[in-house]
Each structure stands twice: as structure tokens, then as C-alpha cells.
Amino acid sequence: MGQLAVPLAKLLGAGRVVAAAGSPEKAAFLRALGADEVISYGRESWGEPVDVVVDAVGGGLLPRLVAALAPGGRLVAYSSGGGTVQAHDLLAGGKSLIGFQMARLARTRAADYTAWRDELWALRAAGRLRPAIHARVPLAEAAEAHAIIERRENLGKVVLVP
Ligand SMILES: NC(=O)c1ccc[n+]([C@@H]2O[C@H](COP(=O)([O-])OP(=O)(O)OC[C@H]3O[C@@H](n4cnc5c(N)ncnc54)[C@H](OP(=O)(O)O)[C@@H]3O)[C@@H](O)[C@H]2O)c1
């Protein structure tokens, strides 16, 4: 999902887009997608604070993500990775935490969901948003598709072809 978040942030006018990645290959991929900076999770300092964090990882990374926010900043959590945030870490900087799930939006705010989806399709049709496909794998070899994702090799989508 991060491969779409980076160009979308640029298209929507974000001044500085900082992407986080775990390997040099993914860092180069994110730079090519328009990230102004790419940080490695393991690095001690993540640089200047940001106004919005969009988190696909969760778990033990959450406290660092909250710390990476500037005062008044927002953390949007959409991963399946769980994790815990201390309320004090939010109130001290006037920060907020927002949960986001597309499937729930589709059910509970169908009109908004449709409008936002149409906006994305229009960007895609105009060639301004181009989802990257890492590999196309025959459905019969679905295990290999899973293995690619488990090895964290994929730069973009792994598509199963029926
Ligand atoms: N809320 C929603 O509506 C919604 C919609 C779609 C997906 N999701 C969730 O969003 C998350 C990302 O989905 P995705 O399709 O972008 O997955 P993905 O292609 O597998 O990307 C996830 C990235 O997370 C990083 N990562 C960090 N720790 C990891 C770990 N322990 N295991 C695996 N990856 C790890 C990896 O990057 P590095 O190797 O660079 O660390 C990996 O490229 C998932 O949790 C998914 O369930 C939520």
C-alpha cells in the first residue's frame, strides 16, 4: 500500500514526503515513486518530525511513529500489525491517532467510498497514479506468490493470474 501512499501524498500537495523501508532496494523504489526522503527503520534518528504518519506496519514500531510526529500531528493506523500507544504520548504533544479500514468505509460510508474510489480511478486513467506490479504468478503457483511476500521481496503488487 505504501507504493500508492507516496505518490498520492505528492499528488495531494504534501510538502515533504518521508518513506520508511527495510532494504536498499525498497529505498530506491520509493525514491523513484517520488519520496523526498527515505529512512531505514533501524536508523537511530528519523530526521525532522512530520505532520502525518501513515502506518502499514504497527506492532513495536508504533511508539516510534508517535514520537516522529510534530506537535498536533496525526498517526493514521491501517495495518493488521496491532500495537500499543500510550495515551500520555498523545496528550503531551496534542497528537491524534486515527484508525482506518477501507472495508468498513465501504460498508458504513458507501457514498464517500464510491466518490474516493472514482477519484483514484480518474488518477489511474490519467496516468498520474501507476500501481507497480512486482510479479504475475499463475494461480496454480499461489504458494510461490505467498513466498515472495513472506520474503519481503515485493516492490509493488504480486498478482495471481487465473
Ligand atoms: N486498513 C485497510 O483498509 C487495509 C487495506 C489493505 C491492507 N491493509 C494492511 O496494510 C498492511 C500493508 O499491506 P500491503 O498490502 O502493503 O503489504 P506488503 O506489500 O506485504 O507490505 C508491507 C510492508 O511492511 C513492511 N514490514 C515491516 N515489518 C514487517 C513484517 N514483520 N512482516 C512483513 N512486512 C513487514 C515490509 O517492508 P520492509 O521490508 O521495507 O520493512 C513490507 O513491504 C497489512 O498489514 C495489511 O493487512 C489494510
Side-chain angles (χ1 to χ4, degrees), residues 2 6 8 11 16 28 35 38 45-46 48 51-52 55 58 72 121 139 151:
V6 168
L8 271 176
L11 281 168
R16 181 173 66 104
V38 183
S45 164
W46 285 0
E48 294 298 309
D51 296 321
V52 180
D55 171 42
W121 278 122
L139 186 57
R151 290 195 298 268

Side-chain angles (χ1 to χ4, degrees), residues 66-158:
V66 173
L69 285 171
R74 286 169 289 158
L75 167 58
V76 181
Y78 73 89
S79 86
S80 312
T84 304
V85 170
Q86 297 298 327
H88 182 267
D89 293 343
L90 296 174
L91 74 87
K95 302 173 182 179
S96 44
L97 171 61
I98 302 161
F100 174 87
Q101 191 190 39
M102 194 57 92
R104 177 173 295 272
L105 273 184
R107 282 197 309 275
T108 58
R109 294 175 62 180
D112 286 336
Y113 172 80
T114 303
W116 292 328
R117 187 191 55 196
D118 290 350
E119 216 175 304
L120 289 173
W121 278 122
L123 288 171
R124 176 71 187 98
R128 301 179 71 197
L129 192 63
R130 297 169 188 268
I133 294 178
H134 178 82
R136 289 181 170 80
V137 180
L139 186 57
E141 294 165 28
E144 173 54 18
H146 281 275
I148 292 170
I149 295 170
E150 281 175 25
R151 290 195 298 268
R152 292 161 73 166
E153 286 173 6
N154 58 306
L155 304 176
K157 294 288 179 190
V158 177

